Amino acid sequence: MAQLDLRRPARKLGRKGWWLLGALLVLAAAIWWLLPRSAPAPTRLTQKVALGRLEKTVTAQGSLAPRDYVDVGAQVSGQISKVYVAVGQQVRKGQLLVQIDPEAYQTKVDSDHAAVDDLIAQREKQTVSLALARQQLVRQQGLRQLDATSQEALESAQAEHDTAQAGLQSLAAQIAKARATLQGDQLSLKYTRIFAPIDGTVVSQTYLQGQTINSSQTAPTILRVARLDPMTVEAQVAEADIPQLKPGMRAWFTTLGDSQTRHQATVRQIKPTPVTTNDVVLYTVLLDVANPGQSLMINMTAQVFFLIDSVAGVPVVPLAALKPLALDGRHYRAQVLVNGQLQNRDVEVRLATRSQAAIASGLKPGEELVLSSQSSGKRSNSNSGMPPPPPGG
């Protein structure tokens, strides 16, 4: 019986054997590549539907200003001799604020009094002269009737009487003029004392004590007195948003220093004349806001939100999770997970903003809304691609 000689070395593969081995490896790789494989389970991002509140707003930038204020000016020229108040001080209507040096105006008033008194004295003297001229005229008229005097003497007496009477009338007019001058100078003297026109707060001061003001051309403003409750927000609104606004509508705003506090306001007026800034047409909208604690101050920056519409107690979801079905902005399609299975839902939107939607029907609280869905694998089964190259060469 023949025996295998284990000491004999194995036969080496020839060139043909190596090519055969390579072909087998390529065939095995191709079969592995073409074998059907199940697609990886998709990864879905979901969110539970919850009830909430949604507001649709128009935003604008604005600043705060007092609603009621008065610029307290000077009606006479002169040096400010005394300022009785300071910026920030509360004042009452009729309170003395500023004293302008009254000396020059007091001198005019005294001179006017003297002029009036002098004219009154002249009027009394002229009254006596008129009485004497009247007596002379009556005497001459009697003598003329008796033919005891000449016609020339009668005419002379008549002329003296008329002259005295005209002089008396002239003095009466001069007295009236002097009294008018006196009244005007007394008014100017009164204007040297400047009083608060309203209850409020001194919010600015232009002239200081010792400065000289000139009111000959314009009335210079010395102080501004303002009521700080209520305040006004002057918001600059783009022309595209103006048709949505109207007087009386609600709004709210936050300030630059306190973005967490909402201040409720009401639209009072939309000014008809726009301003143009960097080729953008803006309209000024005035809003009134209560300020009982005076925490709101002049020129504070305000981020204003005009409330166009709002809804509460309805499902609120991300708008990006909905697919529009029509151009009416109300009908959409959503996907929800029910027992692990995708389900399409037609939903109706009650109110939508740029990022969220309030649902009128089609979704219920607690349901799993699919926000996005994508495969976790990089490749699914496909016969279109070339197999990878075999190992080796």
Side-chain angles (χ1 to χ4, degrees):
M1 183 176 194
Q3 293 183 353
L4 179 62
D5 189 358
L6 298 176
R7 294 174 298 176
R8 189 177 182 181
R11 296 179 60 184
K12 292 183 180 180
L13 290 174
R15 181 180 297 273
K16 186 175 182 180
W18 282 112
W19 278 109
L20 180 60
L21 180 60
L24 290 174
L25 291 175
V26 170
L27 179 62
I31 293 173
W32 177 86
W33 181 262
L34 296 175
L35 284 176
R37 293 186 300 274
S38 59
T43 300
R44 297 187 178 95
L45 180 62
T46 64
Q47 174 182 307
K48 281 191 177 293
V49 177
L51 298 179
R53 174 184 177 86
L54 187 62
E55 295 178 339
K56 184 177 181 180
T57 59
V58 167
T59 61
Q61 291 284 340
S63 61
L64 283 156
R67 174 176 174 175
D68 301 315
Y69 67 89
V70 177
D71 287 331
V72 181
Q75 295 178 269
V76 294
S77 301
Q79 186 182 50
I80 299 176
S81 59
K82 184 68 175 178
V83 178
Y84 294 94
V85 294
V87 174
Q89 182 176 336
Q90 298 280 337
V91 296
R92 305 291 296 178
K93 183 179 180 180
Q95 180 178 337
L96 180 62
L97 303 179
V98 178
Q99 174 70 64
I100 297 174
D101 186 3
E103 184 175 353
Y105 298 96
Q106 184 64 59
T107 301
K108 288 184 178 180
V109 169
D110 294 341
S111 177
D112 293 341
H113 274 297
V116 170
D117 292 341
D118 179 60
L119 289 172
I120 290 175
Q122 293 183 44
R123 183 184 62 182
E124 292 176 354
K125 178 181 177 181
Q126 190 66 25
T127 301
V128 173
S129 298
L130 176 61
L132 179 60
R134 185 177 292 111
Q135 291 177 357
Q136 293 293 336
L137 176 61
V138 170
R139 184 180 300 112
Q140 289 296 326
Q141 288 174 342
L143 293 174
R144 183 58 185 162
Q145 290 178 356
L146 298 174
D147 201 19
T149 185
S150 65
Q151 182 65 29
E152 182 180 357
L154 176 60
E155 292 175 354
S156 178
Q158 182 68 51
E160 290 181 2
H161 173 271
D162 294 344
T163 300
Q165 190 172 33
L168 187 61
Q169 293 174 348
S170 175
L171 285 171
Q174 292 179 54
I175 291 172
K177 180 180 179 180
R179 283 176 172 166
T181 301
L182 171 62
Q183 186 177 6
D185 289 339
Q186 285 176 329
L187 196 59
S188 296
L189 178 62
K190 178 182 176 181
Y191 287 153
T192 62
R193 292 166 58 87
I194 301 174
F195 300 89
I198 59 172
D199 295 342
T201 303
V202 179
V203 297
S204 66
Q205 180 178 349
T206 307
Y207 287 86
L208 304 177
Q209 185 170 308
Q211 287 185 289
T212 300
I213 55 179
N214 185 359
S215 64
S216 59
Q217 296 180 350
T218 58
T221 298
I222 302 175
L223 304 169
R224 172 174 287 187
V225 178
R227 293 193 182 104
L228 300 182
D229 182 21
M231 295 283 282
T232 291
V233 179
E234 299 178 351
Q236 302 298 316
V237 181
E239 62 175 324
D241 295 326
I242 282 294
Q244 303 180 74
L245 309 185
K246 59 183 179 180
M249 74 182 303
R250 294 171 51 203
W252 54 274
F253 68 91
T254 60
T255 59
L256 190 61
D258 184 6
S259 60
Q260 302 303 316
T261 302
R262 284 190 177 191
H263 301 275
Q264 301 297 323
T266 304
V267 175
R268 170 163 54 95
Q269 180 186 4
I270 302 174
K271 289 188 174 181
T273 304
V275 294
T276 302
T277 304
N278 296 328
D279 295 328
V280 178
V281 178
L282 301 171
Y283 287 83
T284 301
V285 180
L286 304 181
L287 304 95
D288 291 337
V289 56
N291 188 29
Q294 297 190 4
S295 60
L296 300 174
M297 304 180 73
I298 298 172
N299 291 336
M300 276 186 170
T301 301
Q303 179 72 32
V304 186
F305 300 83
F306 298 92
L307 188 59
I308 305 301
D309 197 1
S310 66
V311 63
V314 298
V316 177
V317 300
L319 184 62
L322 306 179
K323 180 180 179 181
L325 296 178
L327 298 178
D328 57 2
R330 294 182 60 86
H331 296 88
Y332 291 80
R333 175 160 294 168
Q335 286 187 322
V336 295
L337 276 180
V338 180
N339 298 325
Q341 300 296 318
L342 280 179
Q343 186 180 100
N344 290 328
R345 293 279 186 85
D346 290 346
V347 299
E348 183 178 357
V349 171
R350 161 67 177 81
L351 180 65
T353 65
R354 293 182 180 179
S355 60
Q356 292 183 299
I359 306 302
S361 63
L363 291 177
K364 296 180 180 179
E367 292 185 314
E368 290 284 342
L369 175 67
V370 177
L371 303 182
S372 65
S373 178
Q374 60 184 4
S375 174
S376 61
K378 296 183 178 178
R379 184 182 182 91
S380 61
N381 184 31
S382 174
N383 293 327
S384 61
M386 294 298 293

